[in-house]
Amino acid sequence: MNAKTVLFPDGIRVPAVGQGTWFMGEKESEFRSEVSALQLGIDLGMTLIDTAEMYADGGAERVVGEAISGRRDQVYLVSKVYPQNAGGEKAIAACEQSLQRLKTETLDLYLLHWRGSIKLEETVRAMEALQQAGKIRRWGVSNLDTPDMNELWNVPGGEHCQTNQVLYHAASRGIEYELLPWCREHEIPVMAYCPLAQAGNLRHEVLHHPVMQQLARVRNVSSAQIALAWVTRFDNVIAIPKAVQPGHVHDNAGALTLSLNPEEIALIDQAFPTPSIKMPLDIV
Ligand code: NDP
């Protein structure tokens, strides 16, 4: 099977499984292994890398900058701006600092990390200015629920948003009720964070669930690969697992070519039912 890909509205195709970087760059002693993990992931086809100015206070961007040095053109690079920086001069300065840490001239995608007190109009204006200045190719948002997305679409230029990055894994399926269909209708992919349900306060033991383990045994793959294949079963969802251990990186890349059949998906549906009412958006 060919590696699964997802199409952004501007026609750029990216792998359906990329690489996250939260908690990278925290410790100097881990720097080399984190750089190597990202480089291995790129070699294995996970060429979309997600980072943020927030992670390790810029430390994760430094790790990414080192990992992509000399191979920037092989990578689709995503970073995020703090809500308090997402407008006016602050947005320009924040983006320039991210670019410096990432040792690159341009981001492929720049996301509003979550909604703060700066008006969406102002954020869109800043994003469009950064785009015009060639500092970012496209922009998007993160952690916005459907009412926020509707509001964004009513702001001038708001419909140029390329994605919404939100929490999504088998034990947190709230977005399937309204937000995921909304994104499909508006032709933007969703970037699924915490796709392995391993990090943050909402840590769930998805990977150790008997159904995931049983499906993994039958397919001779890992339960993480089943979890990622499940998240990326739709053609408009990109999973961004974070992995430093080389075994994990290999595992996650393997999910690029793993598709679940309807019976397997039905078993996961039984084990982790999708909510039948609108749920508040999960965040970490
Ligand atoms: P993940 O669900 O990706 O879990 C990461 C954890 O899972 C790490 O401890 C990692 O271990 C472990 N792991 C990775 N691969 C495997 C595997 N194959 N088998 C078993 N364990 C594995 O959680 P994250 O919170 O990191 O989310 C992914 C990314 O999403 C973040 O790194 C970040 O880029 C983004 N994100 C965005 C947010 C937002 O607000 N927009 C919020 C949270 C995350 P190890 O590293 O030791 O290999």
Side-chain angles (χ1 to χ4, degrees):
M1 180 196 167
N2 289 334
K4 288 189 267 185
T5 58
V6 172
L7 192 64
F8 275 110
D10 65 350
I12 302 284
R13 227 169 235 293
V14 296
V17 182
Q19 304 188 75
T21 62
W22 193 21
F23 290 110
M24 288 190 183
E26 302 259 348
K27 291 191 202 141
E28 197 52 45
S29 57
E30 305 289 318
F31 187 83
R32 285 304 344 156
S33 51
E34 291 164 355
V35 168
S36 300
L38 291 175
Q39 289 175 332
L40 175 62
I42 297 169
D43 291 341
L44 296 173
M46 294 187 292
T47 52
L48 180 150
I49 299 183
D50 176 78
T51 190
E53 64 171 331
M54 184 187 104
Y55 302 159
D57 206 11
E61 289 182 329
R62 283 191 200 93
V63 171
V64 176
E66 183 63 19
I68 64 174
S69 173
R71 55 196 312 189
R72 171 68 185 90
D73 54 348
Q74 295 171 32
V75 172
Y76 187 90
L77 188 55
V78 186
S79 193
K80 308 184 209 81
V81 61
Y82 267 125
Q84 65 269 27
N85 289 340
E89 291 300 312
K90 279 191 173 174
I92 311 291
C95 184
E96 278 172 354
Q97 281 160 26
S98 285
L99 291 172
Q100 257 175 31
R101 290 188 287 261
L102 289 161
K103 298 192 271 186
T104 187
E105 306 275 303
T106 318
L107 292 171
D108 293 293
L109 192 57
Y110 199 33
L111 309 182
L112 167 64
H113 206 148
W114 65 92
R115 191 166 179 186
S117 55
I118 292 180
K119 289 201 168 83
L120 289 175
E121 283 91 325
E122 206 183 315
T123 298
V124 172
R125 262 201 307 277
M127 292 294 194
E128 308 252 302
L130 285 167
Q131 196 176 351
Q132 266 163 25
K135 296 191 188 296
I136 65 171
R137 298 211 168 93
R138 303 283 168 188
W139 63 269
V141 294
S142 176
N143 296 306
L144 261 59
D145 207 348
T146 325
D148 299 305
M149 293 306 284
N150 278 321
E151 202 180 317
L152 179 63
W153 248 246
N154 284 318
V155 162
E159 76 284 3
H160 297 147
C161 170
Q162 298 286 301
T163 191
N164 189 5
Q165 184 179 116
V166 290
L167 188 151
Y168 185 48
H169 55 67
S172 176
R173 303 182 59 171
I175 65 165
E176 289 175 22
Y177 187 79
E178 188 178 60
L179 186 60
L180 194 54
W182 190 99
C183 290
R184 179 174 293 287
E185 201 181 302
H186 292 80
E187 297 180 343
I188 61 167
V190 163
M191 292 178 75
Y193 74 69
C194 301
L196 298 167
Q198 291 292 285
N201 301 330
L202 288 163
R203 195 184 175 114
H204 293 277
E205 293 300 322
V206 171
L207 304 191
H208 296 111
H209 191 282
V211 166
M212 301 305 252
Q213 300 237 314
Q214 168 66 11
L215 291 173
R217 257 192 310 277
V218 172
R219 283 288 197 111
N220 200 20
V221 297
S222 70
S223 56
Q225 288 176 317
I226 296 287
L228 292 175
W230 181 85
V231 164
T232 57
R233 69 200 183 284
F234 302 121
D235 64 1
N236 65 334
V237 179
I238 303 156
I240 45 168
K242 171 262 179 186
V244 176
Q245 296 177 50
H248 287 165
V249 179
H250 275 282
D251 225 22
N252 298 346
L256 277 167
T257 48
L258 180 66
S259 279
L260 302 181
N261 63 40
E263 292 75 30
E264 291 168 320
I265 291 173
L267 285 171
I268 296 175
D269 276 340
Q270 270 170 27
F272 300 97
T274 193
S276 55
I277 53 164
K278 168 91 178 102
M279 308 289 285
L281 186 63
D282 271 349
I283 52 167
V284 288

